[in-house]
Amino acid sequence: MSASSAKSNPVSHFPRCGYRDAARRRCRSFAVPNSSSCAHHRRQEQEAAEAAAVAETLTKDLTEFNSAEDVNDFLARLLLLLARDQISPRRAAVLAYVSNLILRSLAAMEAEYRAQTPDWDRPQLIVDIPRPVRDDPPPATGCPVPRA
């Protein structure tokens, strides 16, 4: 093989994938036309972008889940994403389960707070309520009294 034939190798004109792993090794695959990545790494980039978009949709304006209203809002968004087929049913089930755990922990935290605070939201007995007068005849209803 001569030096001129090695330089005219048609494969050498295609760019390689620009992905580098943690050890800084470069991917051996060829890049997809009009892209700097191979098909495999381009698909990974698209999946990561879609996951980021789903996460942004789910958590928009939600910073903490301190109330049942926040969890309800999250679940409503999750349902919409599932209905649009933007999230897998398995992932939606996992997120719904985690939301259920958050709701249970909110109720448990409230019960702990009630136990530590003696007068918090407990019914109070009011002694000065007048008793009803039971001596008056019942009001006329217009219905005839059944005869025996």
Side-chain angles (χ1 to χ4, degrees), residues 15-144:
R16 285 180 47 198
C17 177
Y19 175 80
R20 293 185 183 269
D21 63 4
R24 304 293 301 156
R25 291 183 300 238
R26 190 170 182 176
C27 177
R28 296 184 197 175
S29 301
F30 292 111
V32 175
N34 300 326
S35 177
S36 63
S37 302
C38 64
H40 174 71
H41 291 115
R42 186 171 180 170
R43 185 173 46 253
Q44 282 184 341
E45 291 171 359
Q46 289 174 344
E47 288 173 359
E50 289 172 3
V54 166
E56 174 64 28
T57 303
L58 280 173
T59 59
K60 184 179 181 183
D61 299 330
L62 292 175
T63 55
E64 296 180 0
F65 292 96
N66 289 335
S67 67
E69 184 179 343
D70 292 341
V71 176
N72 186 27
D73 191 23
F74 177 82
L75 288 173
R77 293 175 188 183
L78 181 64
L79 177 65
L80 291 174
L81 287 175
L82 186 61
R84 292 184 204 141
D85 203 23
Q86 292 179 340
I87 189 170
S88 70
R90 181 177 181 153
R91 186 172 182 198
V94 169
L95 291 173
Y97 178 74
V98 171
S99 299
N100 184 16
L101 293 176
I102 291 173
L103 276 176
R104 287 180 175 212
S105 68
L106 287 174
M109 288 189 310
E110 183 177 339
E112 284 179 3
Y113 183 75
R114 284 184 182 192
Q116 292 173 357
T117 309
D119 293 332
W120 188 80
D121 198 27
R122 292 199 179 160
Q124 297 179 359
L125 180 62
I126 300 175
V127 180
D128 295 335
I129 297 177
R131 296 183 58 85
V133 178
R134 303 216 187 258
D135 297 337
D136 297 336
T141 59
C143 295

